[in-house]
Amino acid sequence: KFSTEQYIRMFCDVWQRYSAENACNFNDFEAICFHLPYTKMGLKALRAGLEENSSAPITSDTRERLLARYQDSTQYSRRIGNIYTGSLYLGLISLLDFDYFRNFDDSAVDGDSEVSCDLSSATHTNESPTCLSPLLSGQKIGLFSYGSGAVAEFFSATLVPDWRSALFSDQHLKSLNNRTQLSVSQYEEMFNSAAPYSPQDFISSQKNRSGARFVLDSITSQERNYRSI
């Protein structure tokens, strides 16, 4: 409970400072992505921020939009879980991919449920059903980065022209749908094959490289050697 309270408090604090220093408010953002230890954590912070906002009145359209876009940003985290530092950027990818699935990829909307993930919940929240228009270049996305109660940061990104050409949306879903379920013993074997925290040289296992594109090959004199496969 204390950790949850700190997350919410730190989001509200850094948002207030950011909005004051940059003369902006929630109405200026098309979406806000969060570091997600679990998917409801960011939602609690967003709701608190919307309630505490003092820089400008929040329109009903803004509230509905931010809550609905938040659902898009959590779709991959619901399937993958917490990836720690990368969770904020997983949320950003999820936001952009699900905008593409909804507006530009009929196969994702009409096809198999495994492929479509959860476009139904991606288009609304329990609080505020809303119809989302496609994301456009020039729109701003807020990003909240957080580190275990010790540090938090709010910054923004602006969508550039032709940003959709940089997406790998279909490949992302294909990778998720093609995952292999491990037994407990298989997971423990893979987990224990990780590089040890020690000064000794290390050569990684060849066994768990199937499907990998980039691996830690070895550690020599405390230098990590990576290679593509």
Side-chain angles (χ1 to χ4, degrees):
K1 182 178 180 181
F2 179 74
S3 179
T4 298
E5 291 170 350
Q6 296 315 300
Y7 181 107
I8 295 171
R9 179 185 64 80
M10 293 179 81
F11 171 72
C12 292
D13 286 351
V14 296
W15 163 250
Q16 292 293 344
R17 290 180 59 185
Y18 179 92
S19 60
E21 293 177 8
N22 292 278
C24 63
N25 57 69
F26 283 122
N27 299 311
D28 298 313
F29 289 85
E30 183 62 23
I32 298 177
C33 297
F34 290 78
H35 169 84
L36 294 174
Y38 56 94
T39 54
K40 285 190 177 181
M41 186 69 262
L43 181 59
K44 293 177 180 180
L46 178 58
R47 285 172 174 164
L50 291 170
E51 291 171 2
E52 291 186 8
N53 181 67
S54 59
S55 57
I58 303 171
T59 68
S60 58
D61 285 347
T62 292
R63 180 182 177 85
E64 290 184 5
R65 181 183 70 252
L66 293 180
L67 289 170
R69 294 285 190 203
Y70 176 82
Q71 296 301 318
D72 277 7
S73 74
T74 65
Q75 293 301 304
Y76 285 158
S77 293
R78 293 177 188 278
R79 299 189 66 179
I80 295 172
N82 185 9
I83 60 170
Y84 303 91
T85 301
S87 68
L88 170 61
Y89 304 100
L90 180 66
L92 177 60
I93 292 171
S94 181
L95 171 73
L96 301 180
D97 278 358
F98 275 80
D99 173 79
Y100 167 75
F101 295 143
R102 179 183 299 103
N103 296 294
F104 302 100
D105 187 352
D106 293 337
S107 65
V109 176
D110 300 329
D112 163 324
S113 61
E114 271 283 281
V115 173
S116 63
C117 283
D118 192 2
L119 284 171
S120 59
S121 69
T123 58
H124 65 83
T125 69
N126 292 333
E127 290 188 346
S128 50
T130 188
C131 183
L132 292 170
S133 57
L135 292 169
L136 302 172
S137 63
Q139 291 177 330
K140 290 177 66 176
I141 297 171
L143 300 114
F144 175 63
S145 183
Y146 179 78
S148 300
V151 64
E153 182 179 21
F154 188 93
F155 54 104
S156 67
T158 302
L159 293 172
V160 299
D162 200 30
W163 57 271
R164 285 190 182 87
S165 65
L167 297 180
F168 296 90
S169 309
D170 293 331
Q171 293 94 315
H172 293 155
L173 276 187
K174 183 177 179 181
S175 295
L176 286 172
N177 293 337
N178 289 340
R179 289 181 297 180
T180 300
Q181 184 172 352
L182 301 179
S183 66
V184 172
S185 60
Q186 288 172 318
Y187 172 79
E188 290 176 343
E189 181 183 357
M190 183 178 290
F191 183 87
N192 291 325
S193 70
Y197 186 69
S198 69
Q200 283 75 36
D201 289 353
F202 169 79
I203 298 177
S204 65
S205 170
Q206 300 286 322
K207 186 174 181 180
N208 299 315
R209 297 187 178 191
S210 176
R213 298 174 57 189
F214 192 68
V215 299
L216 172 64
D217 192 50
S218 62
I219 301 176
T220 307
S221 299
Q222 300 189 47
E223 291 185 359
R224 300 171 74 91
N225 307 304
Y226 295 90
R227 70 182 182 92
S228 58
I229 297 179

